[in-house]
Amino acid sequence: MPESFLSGAGLDPVLVPLQAAADKRHQQLTNQQALAEFRKVLARLLEEPYAERMIQARQAVGELGLRLRDNEIQRELWRLRLATSGRSEPIRPGQRLDLSPTPWRWEGLLLDRCSHLLVAAPKVGKSSLGLALVAAWHLGEPTFLDRRLIGPCPPVILAWPDQGEQDCARMIRSAGLLAADGGLLSPPLVALFHTGRPIHLDPEGIERLVEEVRPHHGALVILDSYSAATRPLGLEEASAEFAMPMVELIEALEPHKATLLVIHHRSEEHTSEL
């Protein structure tokens, strides 16, 4: 701390508390300056590939002498993303609208290359519904639950951090999607993540999902559940930040024309803002 009339206060009973308060204030100012510099670094990292963001952010934390855990770094990234998203401008008269059709894959419920949220109470069969849909589609059934299935069944990636391997195997077998050797029936299944081999919606996890989707253009990704996939990030469900991993995932999948089905558990205590 710079020299002042308090420097050398020693054990003076009057000056010691004043010196402590001054030191604390100086440290607060130093931390605020470091945090401001860190946020400038994060602003540049928004343009970096997903896998690089956290690595460089951790490095910046160390260089600036900050004490931030990964979930706090991620919250800073999402706050910055929200703050820099800018104001949306409406379409004005004279501007042409995009009239190209978005085809249904499951009529009235599942749009091709779009993101979908399936919300219901826990343990009512959301995961089984998704698997039954895939099974009917794969078998070439014309309809499922009285709604048309359109086009061939796409490659399917199951990202299920909420389910153990045995539960996954039981449900997959019940849907008729387990091969004779006990493995995934392929096609249509191409990958399975579960609690023992988890995937989460941090930058590394999102990039990992993209790696799985990349060789399977137009894949269907079923994520079960959103709460489990975001739990390690320490986000409050009632906050706007809770939706940011979904935004990041949709953005990352968009170039690969993937269709996303996200399962989310509804509870009486909390209502998601997704």
Side-chain angles (χ1 to χ4, degrees):
M1 181 178 177
E3 290 290 326
S4 71
F5 79 96
L6 293 175
S7 300
L11 299 178
D12 188 300
V14 175
L15 295 182
V16 164
L18 296 176
Q19 179 69 57
D23 289 344
K24 182 177 180 181
R25 176 60 177 165
H26 176 72
Q27 187 60 49
Q28 288 173 339
L29 289 173
T30 301
N31 290 342
Q32 289 172 3
Q33 291 167 352
L35 187 57
E37 287 301 314
F38 179 60
R39 285 170 176 161
K40 291 179 183 178
V41 172
L42 292 186
R44 295 194 296 271
L45 291 181
L46 288 178
E47 305 303 321
E48 294 293 325
Y50 292 94
E52 296 296 323
R53 291 183 189 175
M54 191 61 74
I55 296 172
Q56 295 186 42
R58 291 187 190 119
Q59 182 179 352
V61 164
E63 291 174 353
L64 292 168
L66 293 169
R67 294 182 179 180
L68 295 175
R69 296 185 294 272
D70 281 359
N71 64 324
E72 293 171 321
I73 294 172
Q74 190 63 67
R75 281 201 295 269
E76 287 292 333
L77 277 166
W78 284 324
R79 287 188 186 118
L80 184 61
R81 183 71 173 270
L82 286 171
T84 58
S85 59
R87 186 179 68 175
S88 296
E89 293 294 335
I91 294 175
R92 305 292 184 184
Q95 293 177 291
R96 297 184 63 181
L97 300 179
D98 183 0
L99 295 175
S100 58
T102 301
W104 291 105
R105 304 306 304 277
W106 182 22
E107 192 173 37
L109 293 173
L110 199 67
L111 279 167
D112 190 35
R113 306 187 304 274
C114 291
S115 301
H116 310 78
L117 191 63
L118 175 59
V119 183
K123 305 302 181 183
V124 297
K126 299 185 295 297
S127 307
S128 298
L129 174 66
L131 282 176
L133 166 65
V134 171
W137 209 345
H138 172 65
L139 290 173
E141 297 290 343
T143 64
F144 179 67
L145 298 180
D146 295 327
R147 292 178 180 267
R148 282 195 307 142
L149 293 171
I150 302 167
C153 181
V156 178
I157 296 165
L158 302 176
W160 284 5
D162 213 15
Q163 305 282 354
E165 183 173 339
Q166 290 178 318
D167 285 340
C168 291
R170 176 182 53 80
M171 288 190 292
I172 292 170
R173 182 180 61 187
S174 296
L177 295 172
L178 207 63
D181 63 0
L184 300 175
L185 184 65
S186 180
L189 303 182
V190 297
L192 167 66
F193 295 94
H194 56 69
T195 55
R197 301 186 182 190
I199 194 162
H200 300 107
L201 295 187
D202 53 19
E204 291 87 351
I206 290 172
E207 180 61 28
R208 184 70 184 87
L209 267 178
V210 170
E211 289 174 6
E212 291 296 329
V213 169
R214 189 175 289 119
H216 302 289
H217 204 73
L220 170 63
V221 179
I222 302 178
L223 177 66
D224 182 11
S225 65
Y226 189 74
S227 297
T230 57
R231 191 173 295 133
L233 305 179
L235 302 174
E236 293 291 334
E237 185 170 342
S239 72
E241 295 165 9
F242 189 63
M244 287 308 297
M246 176 86 85
V247 173
E248 296 273 349
L249 179 59
I250 292 170
E251 178 184 303
L253 293 178
E254 196 279 333
H256 308 286
K257 308 303 181 186
T259 301
L260 177 63
L261 176 61
V262 178
I263 292 172
H264 184 53
H265 299 321
R266 182 185 65 197
S267 65
E268 294 182 1
E269 292 83 6
H270 300 94
T271 302
S272 172
E273 296 295 330
L274 284 173

